[in-house]
Amino acid sequence: MIIDCHGHFTTAPPALGEWRNRQIAGLTDPRATPARDDLRISDADLRQSIEGNQLRLMDERGIDVTVFSPRASFMAHHLGDFTTSSQWAEICNDLCHRVAALYPERFAQAAMLPQSPGVDPATCLPELARCVEELGAVAVNLNPDPSGGHWTAPPLTDRSWYPIYEKMVEYGIPAMIHVSTSVNPAFHTTGAHYLNADTTAFMQLVQGDLFKDFPTLRFVLPHGGGAVPYHWGRFRGLAAALGKPPLEEHVLGNVYFDTCVYHQPGIDLLLDVIPARNILFASEMIGAVRDIDPCTGHHFDDTRRYVEAVKLPDAELDDIQERNARTVYPRLDALLTRQGR
């Protein structure tokens, strides 16, 4: 089985974006604010949005299951206040739940949280609980920078995040550390902000001692961990300078990297530097990079080709494509087991 741990509902029906535009307009003109019931998306609309896009490509590329969450750039936690984010998160999470219910053997839900700049992360707990207990979510996406590229939030090691971590440990779910849209013109959203955030989150974890307090907490760093594998020696040296244990002891018992790296040399480096037990297969299709690579004739985000071209031992390849995900996402493993897989 091949499990893609990083999928987003990037092809949601246009009605979702139209409702969101009205919600944003309502921030300055309350008369424009839509009601929740104004959003009408049928099961047929969802099937059309999925079958010709994610599901088609999953079938073409031999991917069995995708962990599926709301579109990352749409989270846009910087817009409005907590009420804005709360309404938006509920709507987006409900849609991903409906997709997983329509295709229960192909998609497992991951939830976005209703984060808002300057607001206590503990306010996210009711939606986190709803998504796990009622919708069956197997993971959450956690935005380390709700401000949208201005980095006003405390580091992930700060105790203000602890209520979320406590709930994650209780439920046995991981968080993918994933930022949203950048409103800072210095940082392109997908080309800079995403990769900066992956790198920044890792360094925050190196600087702190979070996993002493939460030894079973699990984070997934997307996009191959940003610059982390490329600068592994730098991080090893910084950890030593900070008086921290070797990275293998300090963070690699809790931090994992996905394979959303869109060329062969990048995947080669990732698999050479990071232990196979810390790597989870992912593609993030249909995402930031949707075109065909003119050098190969294949889509940039067809990551299975890169991973399998490395010629790993069969056991390591199986770990990366299936077993690691089942370990890091215990609720996904339980779901697949109930399905007889």
Side-chain angles (χ1 to χ4, degrees):
M1 177 184 297
I2 297 179
I3 299 171
D4 186 335
C5 77
H6 189 172
H8 298 297
F9 199 177
T10 54
T11 61
L16 179 65
E18 293 165 3
W19 190 95
R20 176 62 161 171
N21 289 339
R22 291 177 60 194
Q23 186 194 35
I24 295 170
L27 298 176
T28 53
D29 180 5
R31 295 172 298 177
T33 303
R36 171 70 183 267
D37 292 343
D38 290 345
L39 178 63
R40 295 183 176 88
I41 296 177
S42 68
D43 284 356
D45 294 332
L46 292 176
R47 291 186 184 279
Q48 183 178 20
S49 71
I50 290 294
E51 291 181 1
N53 293 294
Q54 283 89 352
L55 198 57
R56 173 180 61 83
L57 291 175
M58 287 169 64
D59 288 341
E60 289 178 3
R61 300 175 188 181
I63 297 171
D64 297 287
V65 180
T66 294
V67 178
F68 200 59
S69 66
R71 185 174 182 173
S73 61
F74 266 30
M75 295 191 299
H77 294 117
H78 62 279
L79 292 172
D81 56 15
F82 174 74
T83 298
T84 308
S85 289
S86 182
Q87 293 172 339
W88 183 232
E90 288 181 11
I91 284 174
C92 293
N93 287 331
D94 285 348
L95 281 182
C96 287
H97 171 68
R98 288 175 60 190
V99 170
L102 288 170
Y103 307 95
E105 295 192 351
R106 306 305 301 276
F107 297 97
Q109 182 182 2
M112 68 176 275
L113 298 176
Q115 298 175 246
S116 188
V119 177
D120 187 347
T123 56
C124 296
L125 295 182
E127 180 63 6
L128 191 161
R130 184 183 79 92
C131 288
V132 174
E133 296 178 10
E134 299 179 22
L135 305 186
V138 302
V140 295
N141 290 343
L142 184 65
N143 185 352
D145 174 37
S147 71
H150 293 286
W151 290 93
T152 58
L156 292 169
T157 51
D158 189 83
R159 296 190 71 87
S160 61
W161 297 100
Y162 276 30
I164 291 179
Y165 302 156
E166 289 165 359
K167 211 65 177 173
M168 288 171 54
V169 170
E170 176 187 339
Y171 286 136
I173 59 171
M176 178 169 281
I177 305 300
H178 207 308
V179 290
S180 186
T181 299
S182 169
V183 293
N184 185 335
F187 301 124
H188 182 276
T189 293
T190 54
H193 187 43
Y194 281 17
L195 306 183
N196 292 345
D198 306 333
T199 309
T200 298
F202 186 81
M203 189 61 209
Q204 289 177 1
L205 297 173
V206 171
Q207 288 178 272
D209 293 294
L210 179 63
F211 303 122
K212 289 184 178 179
D213 289 341
F214 297 97
T216 62
L217 187 67
R218 295 180 301 277
F219 290 140
V220 178
L221 293 182
H223 321 114
V228 174
Y230 188 71
H231 286 288
W232 194 246
R234 175 181 292 257
F235 290 109
R236 289 177 57 236
L238 289 170
L242 291 167
K244 303 298 183 183
L247 295 179
E248 291 76 11
E249 301 173 22
H250 189 45
V251 294
L252 287 189
N254 306 82
V255 177
Y256 302 84
F257 300 75
D258 78 9
T259 63
C260 293
V261 179
Y262 296 147
H263 68 149
Q264 191 65 54
I267 287 288
D268 293 346
L269 175 71
L270 174 68
L271 299 184
D272 184 50
V273 172
I274 303 299
R277 66 179 181 277
N278 289 89
I279 300 175
L280 282 67
F281 175 77
S283 69
E284 201 182 9
M285 67 173 187
I286 301 167
V289 183
R290 305 186 182 192
D291 292 333
I292 291 177
D293 184 345
C295 295
T296 66
H298 301 293
H299 283 88
F300 282 102
D301 63 4
D302 187 359
T303 54
R304 181 180 176 184
R305 293 180 179 274
Y306 310 137
V307 172
E308 295 185 348
V310 178
K311 303 299 183 185
L312 297 166
D314 289 345
E316 289 190 4
L317 181 62
D318 290 344
D319 285 345
I320 291 169
Q321 292 185 330
E322 176 183 3
R323 286 194 288 263
N324 291 345
R326 297 181 77 133
T327 298
V328 176
Y329 295 71
R331 286 180 176 263
L332 173 62
D333 179 57
L335 173 64
L336 297 174
T337 299
R338 289 195 298 271
Q339 294 173 347
R341 297 194 282 172

